[in-house]
Amino acid sequence: MANERLFYLPLGGAGEIGMNAYVYGYGPKGRERLILVDAGVTFPDAAATPGVDLIVPDFSWLVQRSKRVEGIFISHAHEDHLGAIGIICSKIDAPVYARPFTASIASRKLEEFGVSPSALRVVSPGSAETKAGPFSVTFLKAAHSVPEASGLLLKTPGGAILHTGDFKFDESPVIGESMTAETWKSSAGTGLKALVCDSTNSLQSRKGRSEASVGPEIQKLIDRATGMVVATTFASNVARIKQIAEAGRRADREVVLLGRALHRMLNAALESGVISGFPRTIDSYEAAKLSRKNVLVIATGSQGEPRAATMQLAVGKFHGIEVESGDILLYSSKTIPGNEKAVLRVINLMARKGVEVIDDSAEIYHVSGHPNEPDLEDLHRALNPECVIPMHGEHRHMLAHAKLANRSGINSLVAENGCLVEFRKRGPIIAEEVETGRAYLDGFELVEPGDSVVGDRRRIAQNGYVSVVLTGRGRKRVRFDAAVATVGLPAKDAEELELHLEEIALSEVGDKLPAPLNADEIKSAASRAVRREVSEIFGKKPVVAVKIVYRD
């Protein structure tokens, strides 16, 4: 029908790395049937979002249209693509489609939010299409740094779209399927309306390397080591973990796994058949009794996470294991932008203990799971889509990707979060802009955008906090007493400061006031007076909370 349209709307992951969530719609304008591709998280910065556990996309736009959602499709098992699956499924009743390994990880996420894993539908790549309203979805095999990654071929009456998810070209991926540009060409064919494509490494001018190239280098490193070796990498990179463990066993070292995420990912890989076996491992307390030259530890915490195994080893003994001078710490990973300070803290702590820290600045012990510029060119050439829509990257990555497509004669459009891209005969346009943002998982609660709790914490951290309790007595004439408590102010004598602020609060509200009183006016007056006084003393404007209590 003439009024039907096909659109793409990123709610997260476009203009940033992480928090991926992409909506596709097809049908009459305002009544389109919808699917969601991925539901990811990003991780908080302690200074910017104090107390927050995870940051998730604001799904409000989609939740408001929940009756039109036909399905949720998860491309792979990285946290930035499925970490929010429990949150969105607690708000939207729709089936979730994923490959076996991804489904195994997703089932735990669903249970955490009280959602039955029965919502999951396990699919196989390249087999039957999955019908979701007007969409026919096929999972396409992809190589990446986690098992069973997939691109998604979306067919609609308005045309076909290939959503790449995260991918790389790798003919020797160690675990999983090999992939070249021709891999998807044979499945997707020609005549694609759009290629919505990973842009993470669009600024990297060299071709990507195979996962198989890492193993021999790690083997050389372990072979030369005379002390204990601790290797840290992403827990989801099962192929890397397997290569590290095999290198350790070949060097006559016992292998220890430290960190729950490692065990969880390996168990999922074994249960789903991604791997049929793994080198023998031993308990950490047993390993602590062995000669250090006979121990290899694989630990979580490659991004400097404070509670992960690598950080725990940096600050002290962990599960019986302790690092010493002469040991080696290997980072077989890339530091995600924003995590540099946390990683550097671990490195410095390890260096103080005499541990030799080897990062991947020489690009020997890690390979990326994303396509570089030459790989993107090969994919553009093989698929020759009508247009390229860059995603999964900061604006600079998406802009570089768009220019790359244009140089090949392919139309392109840069659309960040909230930009609704409509695919028309003459090409894609940004037809609408919808409100998007971030929500925060704070303990067990989801803090919606606009809630002041995170901002309040940030202001308290920067400026301190003052609590003022005004106790009123009397019926015809009200007399107030004040009790003040301060937190986070640089006072040499906190008790003296609090007594002074009590006097300031009382002088503002008056010694005696007629009843009935306007409580809001009294609170505002006391708050202004206390904040003004603290500002004059310390140059700080604290968060001031005033409570009024009446006693007969």
Side-chain angles (χ1 to χ4, degrees):
M1 295 175 60
N3 65 337
E4 291 184 333
R5 65 174 183 168
L6 173 64
F7 73 74
Y8 154 82
L9 169 63
L11 298 179
E16 63 192 345
I17 294 177
M19 208 174 72
N20 296 277
Y22 308 94
V23 178
Y24 290 90
Y26 180 79
K29 185 176 181 179
R31 292 184 289 121
E32 300 92 347
R33 307 307 295 178
L34 309 171
I35 63 171
L36 175 66
V37 174
D38 291 337
V41 302
T42 193
F43 296 96
D45 178 287
T49 51
V52 169
D53 297 297
L54 290 173
I55 302 174
V56 303
D58 177 11
F59 288 111
S60 301
W61 186 93
L62 191 64
V63 171
Q64 292 165 10
R65 295 159 178 80
S66 60
K67 299 295 185 183
R68 290 156 48 190
V69 178
E70 299 284 356
I72 300 171
F73 296 81
I74 306 298
S75 64
H76 64 282
H78 276 152
E79 286 291 302
D80 63 331
H81 290 259
L82 65 56
I85 190 63
I87 292 171
I88 188 61
C89 286
S90 69
K91 298 174 176 291
I92 293 177
D93 182 16
V96 179
Y97 300 93
R99 294 178 65 183
F101 176 82
T102 306
S104 177
I105 303 300
S107 66
R108 294 172 174 83
K109 302 289 183 185
L110 294 176
E111 289 173 349
E112 288 173 6
F113 284 85
V115 180
S116 172
S118 62
L120 283 166
R121 308 286 188 273
V122 179
V123 298
S124 298
S127 58
E129 296 177 343
T130 298
K131 293 292 293 181
F135 293 88
S136 293
V137 183
T138 303
F139 282 73
L140 305 181
K141 295 178 180 180
H144 188 41
S145 55
V146 66
E148 294 189 344
S150 300
L152 299 171
L153 181 61
L154 316 175
K155 293 182 180 178
T156 75
I161 296 173
L162 177 55
H163 182 102
T164 68
D166 292 1
F167 75 98
K168 66 176 293 183
F169 294 150
D170 193 340
E171 296 188 58
S172 305
V174 180
I175 290 176
E177 301 91 6
S178 63
M179 181 182 178
T180 66
E182 296 300 316
T183 304
W184 279 349
K185 181 179 180 181
S186 62
S187 302
T190 57
L192 282 176
K193 175 69 69 175
L195 174 66
V196 181
C197 191
D198 182 356
S199 306
T200 311
N201 284 355
S202 61
L203 294 171
Q204 301 296 320
S205 59
R206 294 183 297 175
K207 288 185 73 70
R209 292 163 50 221
S210 170
E211 177 64 33
S213 67
V214 175
E217 298 299 331
I218 292 175
Q219 186 71 64
K220 293 176 187 176
L221 175 67
I222 294 176
D223 286 345
R224 76 165 173 82
T226 57
M228 184 172 69
V229 176
V230 178
T232 183
T233 188
F234 300 101
S236 58
N237 196 336
V238 177
R240 185 72 49 77
I241 295 165
K242 187 170 186 287
Q243 289 197 94
I244 295 170
E246 288 173 343
R249 293 298 300 140
R250 283 192 290 265
D252 294 324
R253 290 176 180 263
E254 298 294 342
V255 178
V256 178
L257 301 179
L258 284 184
R260 286 177 295 177
L262 278 172
H263 292 278
R264 186 168 62 248
M265 286 292 177
L266 285 175
N267 287 337
L270 290 166
E271 290 170 5
S272 60
V274 167
I275 57 176
S276 57
F278 190 80
R280 186 186 73 201
T281 63
I282 65 170
D283 179 82
S284 59
Y285 294 97
E286 182 182 352
K289 301 173 185 177
L290 301 177
S291 170
R292 307 186 74 76
K293 67 179 181 180
N294 296 125
V295 178
L296 166 70
V297 176
I298 306 176
T300 56
S302 66
Q303 301 305 302
E305 299 93 326
R307 289 178 289 184
T310 302
M311 174 61 87
Q312 297 304 310
L313 289 172
V315 298
K317 185 179 289 188
F318 184 62
H319 289 202
I321 300 288
E322 189 171 11
V323 295
E324 296 179 359
S325 178
D327 292 341
I328 288 177
L329 170 62
L330 168 65
Y331 277 91
S332 184
S333 58
K334 174 185 177 181
T335 301
I336 296 171
N339 294 339
E340 293 88 354
K341 287 184 179 179
V343 172
L344 190 59
R345 179 165 182 251
V346 177
I347 290 173
N348 282 323
L349 287 169
M350 287 288 192
R352 285 176 188 165
K353 294 187 173 188
V355 176
E356 179 185 0
V357 180
I358 300 174
D359 62 22
D360 196 51
S361 55
E363 299 184 355
I364 297 174
Y365 304 108
H366 175 69
V367 294
S368 175
H370 301 274
N372 292 353
E373 180 185 280
D375 307 314
L376 292 171
E377 285 182 317
D378 289 345
L379 187 64
H380 295 168
R381 191 178 305 111
L383 297 178
N384 192 29
E386 291 182 23
C387 69
V388 168
I389 307 296
M391 64 159 183
H392 199 291
E394 297 169 359
H395 189 90
R396 61 195 177 103
H397 302 120
M398 298 198 301
L399 184 60
H401 192 175
K403 290 179 177 178
L404 184 67
N406 292 338
R407 289 201 297 270
S408 299
I410 302 173
N411 191 10
S412 188
L413 178 66
V414 174
E416 292 195 326
N417 295 337
C419 295
L420 188 150
V421 177
E422 187 176 326
F423 299 102
R424 297 182 176 177
K425 289 183 178 179
R426 294 184 178 180
I429 66 162
I430 297 177
E432 303 171 28
E433 292 191 20
V434 307
E435 186 173 345
T436 58
R438 298 178 166 205
Y440 305 102
L441 185 63
D442 191 0
F444 298 116
E445 297 295 322
L446 187 66
V447 180
E448 302 291 349
D451 194 302
S452 64
V453 62
V454 175
D456 287 345
R457 282 187 195 155
R458 192 161 51 240
R459 287 190 291 274
I460 290 170
Q462 293 170 345
N463 295 291
Y465 174 81
V466 180
S467 168
V468 181
V469 178
L470 297 173
T471 303
R473 292 178 174 83
R475 295 186 177 181
K476 293 184 178 180
R477 303 285 291 179
V478 179
R479 180 187 180 92
F480 280 107
D481 291 322
V484 170
T486 62
V487 177
L489 293 177
K492 293 180 180 179
D493 188 331
E495 186 175 350
E496 181 180 338
L497 172 65
E498 289 165 356
L499 290 172
H500 175 63
L501 294 179
E502 288 171 6
E503 295 176 1
I504 295 297
L506 288 176
S507 67
E508 187 69 24
V509 302
D511 185 43
K512 293 181 179 180
L513 294 170
L517 305 175
N518 187 319
D520 288 340
E521 288 183 2
I522 293 173
K523 287 180 180 180
S524 295
S527 177
R528 284 195 303 270
V530 168
R531 186 180 293 108
R532 183 170 57 245
E533 186 69 11
V534 172
S535 178
E536 289 179 2
I537 297 172
F538 300 112
K540 295 283 188 180
K541 294 183 178 180
V543 173
V544 179
V546 180
K547 184 177 181 179
I548 297 177
V549 180
Y550 290 102
R551 297 280 189 269
D552 289 335

